[in-house]
Amino acid sequence: MNVATIVGGLVALFIVAAAFVSLRRRGAAAGSVGLMLRLLAIAATAWIVVALLPFTIDDSGGAASYLLGVPVVAAVCPLIADLTHRAVGVTTTVSALVMLLWGLLLGLGIGLWFVLPALLLGVAAIATMATRHAAVPRNQDA
C-alpha cells in the first residue's frame, strides 16, 4: 500500500460522504438511487486513478493522461448530465459502455480495475431508466 492508494481512498471516502449527505437531503426523491450510484462510480474511479497514477506514469509515461483520463471523463459526464437534468439515462448508459470497453481494451494491464465503476454506472443507468418510466403516467381509459 503506497501513499497514492491512501490518498485515493481518502478522496473516495470524501465523495461517498458527500453522496450520503446529498441522498439524505433529497430523501426518497425520484432518481436519488441513480445519483448515489453515479457518485459511488466517481468515487471508485477517483480511488483507482489516484492509486494507479504512479504505476501508470512509470510504465507508460505521457500516455497515462489518456489511459486514466478516459475513465475519469466517462465517470464525470453522467454527473454533469444529472446536474443539468439533460439526458441522464442516455449519458449514464454511454458512459458505462465506454468505461467497460476501455477496461476490456486495457484488460491485461490496468483496465480490469475500471470494471467496477463501469458496473456501478450500468446499474445507475438501469435505476435511472426505471425511475423515469415509473414517473411517466400511463394513459388509462376510465
Side-chain angles (χ1 to χ4, degrees):
M1 183 177 259
N2 58 15
V3 174
T5 305
I6 294 170
V7 170
L10 291 175
V11 169
L13 285 175
F14 178 76
I15 294 171
V16 169
F20 280 120
V21 168
S22 174
L23 183 66
R24 192 165 181 197
R25 185 177 301 149
R26 284 181 165 216
S32 60
V33 173
L35 175 64
M36 182 67 176
L37 289 169
R38 283 187 288 278
L39 288 171
L40 287 176
I42 289 174
T45 304
W47 189 353
I48 292 166
V49 166
V50 171
L52 290 177
L53 189 62
F55 168 75
T56 308
I57 289 174
D58 288 342
D59 187 47
S60 303
S65 62
Y66 69 84
L67 289 174
L68 298 175
V70 169
V72 169
V73 171
V76 170
C77 283
L79 184 63
I80 292 171
D82 192 25
L83 291 174
T84 60
H85 302 291
R86 307 267 183 196
V88 178
V90 173
T91 306
T92 306
T93 303
V94 169
S95 294
L97 290 174
V98 165
M99 192 175 298
L100 183 63
L101 290 174
W102 193 252
L104 293 175
L105 180 69
L106 303 175
L108 294 176
I110 61 172
L112 288 178
W113 290 101
F114 294 110
V115 172
L116 174 68
L119 292 175
L120 285 170
L121 285 174
V123 174
I126 292 169
T128 302
M129 295 295 187
T131 302
R132 182 175 165 217
H133 289 296
V136 175
R138 302 194 188 268
N139 292 335
Q140 296 178 356
D141 296 327

